[in-house]
Amino acid sequence: MALSSCRASVFIVRTAVARCERWRLTVAGKPFCSRGSVSNEGPATGQTVVTEKNGPVVTVGINRPEVRNAVNQETAQSLAKELSAFDRDDTLSVAVLHGIGGHFCAGYDLKELSQGSASLKLKQDVTQGPAPMGPSRLRLSKPLIAAVSGYAVAGGLELALLADLRVVEESAIMGVFCRRFGVPLIDGGTVRLPQLIGLSRALDLIMTGRPVGAQEALAFGLANKVVPDGQALQAAVELAEQISSFPQLCLRADRNSAYHATFDSTSFTQAMQYETDRGLPVITAESVPGATRFSSGVGRGGKFS
């Protein structure tokens, strides 16, 4: 869950003017074309989540810029629906999650929550139904990249943690801002964050709620790449296209084994067995053809092209 209305502070004043200009001029929030270029068409009016497919890559954009992309129940359900559809679609390999209008996501819409907890329609059993933020309980079988601009705070941070990789703009702010209002992290924040950056650093962010800038996030491992303002979506799409160009059975087997070892394995031996069981079928399907290509001269000297 999360925060929709953040009180004014020094870092807001410092970045507000630059962001207002950037929203009109850059790729943030606009549907993309191949190789990270941007379509001239804006998002469909009235849709809280906007998707755009291009080859094996799909972008999923949160479209509530008037509230810094705070998520209400309608948006949460749409996010869960679109990411579940991505996971089932055999023609898609990588998804990019982003926010339209200069901010990734300011968390759950507290104005909606202020009307009463019944507005959440939250089920106690985490295996049943979507989470408050929508897709945060999903275990996707394919890569998800978060393109982070502006605020990714409270539940917005939890959505960013759902992603495998986070491409973060220089002026982006991340943090557990909901700490100030007694709103708990129940979209995986206390589960994923310690595994990602370590318990000590995670507790620092969880207990203080302090803002974290892009460079500190990069040092922590919370951000995987920092890019200039206005370029997160384009950089994330380019990264998605690169990842989608690799043999997918092998990539998914290795990715899923890493997640299993981190969250589900009961022992080192069990984790090794899981890795082997998922890796062996890939050898015939992709490794032998890959070795044949290498023998013919492809990829020599560490070349990826």
Side-chain angles (χ1 to χ4, degrees):
M1 291 181 65
L3 178 60
S4 64
S5 179
C6 301
R7 294 177 180 174
S9 61
V10 174
F11 56 82
I12 297 176
V13 175
R14 188 179 55 211
T15 60
V17 173
R19 284 179 182 152
C20 286
E21 290 299 319
R22 190 173 76 246
W23 296 348
R24 296 196 297 268
L25 298 174
T26 67
V27 304
K30 296 181 181 178
F32 73 95
C33 299
S34 183
R35 296 180 183 85
S37 62
V38 179
S39 167
N40 290 324
E41 298 179 4
T45 303
Q47 292 181 319
T48 61
V49 175
V50 179
T51 62
E52 181 80 9
K53 296 181 182 179
N54 192 277
V57 176
V58 60
T59 58
V60 180
I62 306 172
N63 186 31
R64 300 189 76 212
E66 69 281 2
V67 288
R68 291 178 177 147
N69 291 323
V71 169
N72 59 8
Q73 279 294 286
E74 177 189 357
T75 310
Q77 292 170 7
S78 295
L79 283 172
K81 177 183 176 181
E82 294 297 344
L83 287 179
S84 295
F86 153 70
D87 212 41
R88 294 191 303 267
D89 192 333
D90 292 337
T91 68
L92 296 172
S93 298
V94 185
V96 175
L97 180 63
H98 67 106
I100 291 171
H103 293 282
F104 180 74
C105 175
Y108 194 81
D109 191 336
L110 291 190
K111 290 183 179 179
E112 183 174 86
L113 180 60
S114 68
Q115 299 173 10
S117 60
S119 64
L120 284 175
K121 300 178 182 179
L122 180 62
K123 293 186 178 181
Q124 187 78 16
D125 186 348
V126 299
T127 66
Q128 301 296 319
M133 295 295 294
S136 52
R137 293 174 182 167
L138 295 177
R139 295 288 296 270
L140 297 172
S141 64
K142 297 183 285 188
L144 173 67
I145 301 172
V148 178
S149 59
Y151 286 112
V153 296
L157 173 62
E158 291 179 288
L159 285 181
L161 295 175
L162 172 65
D164 300 274
L165 303 171
R166 283 150 295 280
V167 178
V168 178
E169 292 184 2
E170 289 176 340
S171 66
I173 298 293
M174 308 174 87
V176 185
F177 280 21
C178 51
R179 179 58 54 229
R180 302 170 295 167
F181 301 106
V183 181
L185 297 171
I186 55 174
D187 280 86
T190 65
V191 178
R192 293 187 174 101
L193 190 60
Q195 293 289 350
L196 190 66
I197 66 174
L199 179 60
S200 179
R201 285 172 169 168
L203 288 175
D204 171 17
L205 304 190
I206 290 169
M207 293 192 297
T208 68
R210 67 180 180 84
V212 176
Q215 291 302 324
E216 184 178 15
L218 183 64
F220 277 9
L222 182 55
N224 298 95
K225 183 177 184 180
V226 174
V227 298
D229 289 352
Q231 295 185 20
L233 178 57
Q234 180 172 334
V237 167
E238 290 172 352
L239 180 58
E241 290 178 334
Q242 178 189 5
I243 291 172
S244 68
S245 72
F246 298 137
Q248 291 298 297
L249 290 178
C250 182
L251 184 143
R252 293 174 194 172
D254 288 347
R255 172 189 178 275
N256 293 336
S257 180
Y259 274 112
H260 178 84
T262 300
F263 290 104
D264 298 320
S265 178
T266 57
S267 68
F268 174 79
T269 300
Q270 195 276 333
M272 292 292 287
Q273 189 63 58
Y274 184 96
E275 179 187 66
T276 298
D277 291 344
R278 272 67 185 175
L280 286 178
V282 173
I283 294 177
T284 299
E286 291 184 346
S287 304
V288 172
T292 301
R293 294 199 311 275
F294 177 78
S295 297
S296 68
V298 176
R300 295 292 178 87
K303 293 181 181 179
F304 277 71
S305 58

